């Protein structure tokens, strides 16, 4: 093998024990596919629930006789929705953090616990 420092570093980087983050394809897949898909799936589910709740509320409000009760209930729903969005942004940040940290962790076999004893 060549004694060049660059080639020795490449040999270490391309060894089988290298964590997956060192591989450009794994990092690319995690950053530009896995993370956005997880976030968009989570947001779609949340938005679907919010729209369903709004439609149900509008259905209830269509039978409302008092205009002030209509406005009050809609304002309460909008306030609850704003609080739900702030909570949702925290959940999305946790998903992104988990996905980005998973890229730096070595993959564990399915049948082996993360802290298995060495034999």
């Amino acid at each position: 093998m060549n004694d060049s420092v660059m080639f020795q570093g490449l040999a270490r980087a391309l060894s089988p024990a290298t964590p997956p983050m060192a591989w450009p394809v794994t990092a690319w897949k995690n950053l530009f596919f896995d993370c956005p898909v997880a976030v968009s799936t989570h947001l779609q589910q949340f938005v679907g629930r919010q729209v369903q709740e709004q439609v149900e509320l509008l259905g209830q409000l269509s039978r409302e006789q008092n205009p002030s009760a209509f406005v009050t209930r809609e304002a309460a729903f909008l306030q609850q929705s704003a609080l739900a969005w702030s909570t949702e942004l925290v959940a999305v940040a946790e998903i992104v953090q988990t996905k980005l940290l998973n890229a730096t962790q070595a993959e564990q076999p399915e049948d082996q616990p993360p802290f298995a004893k060495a034999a």
Side-chain angles (χ1 to χ4, degrees):
M1 174 121 190
N2 195 332
D3 290 337
S4 171
V5 175
M6 184 181 86
F7 288 117
Q8 291 173 0
L10 284 174
R12 278 194 304 274
L14 298 175
S15 70
T18 304
M21 188 61 183
W23 297 94
V25 173
T26 303
W28 181 88
K29 178 184 170 284
N30 197 5
L31 292 175
F32 298 110
F33 183 74
D34 290 343
C35 187
V37 166
V39 168
S40 65
T41 301
H42 190 77
L43 283 177
Q44 286 174 356
Q45 291 173 353
F46 174 76
V47 170
R49 286 190 306 268
Q50 288 296 108
V51 168
Q52 182 178 3
E53 289 175 12
Q54 178 67 46
V55 168
E56 289 173 359
L57 178 65
L58 289 176
Q60 294 170 3
L61 293 177
S62 68
R63 295 183 292 277
E64 187 68 50
Q65 298 297 324
N66 187 358
S68 67
F70 180 89
V71 172
T72 304
R73 288 181 65 187
E74 182 62 26
F77 175 80
L78 291 175
Q79 184 179 18
Q80 176 269 337
S81 182
L83 290 173
W85 270 104
S86 65
T87 305
E88 190 64 20
L89 290 178
V90 171
V92 167
E94 289 175 359
I95 289 172
V96 170
Q97 180 182 11
T98 302
K99 291 293 180 183
L100 294 181
L101 289 177
N102 283 345
T104 62
Q105 304 298 319
E107 294 180 17
Q108 294 288 332
E110 292 290 328
D111 58 345
Q112 182 181 1
F115 299 106
K117 291 183 178 180

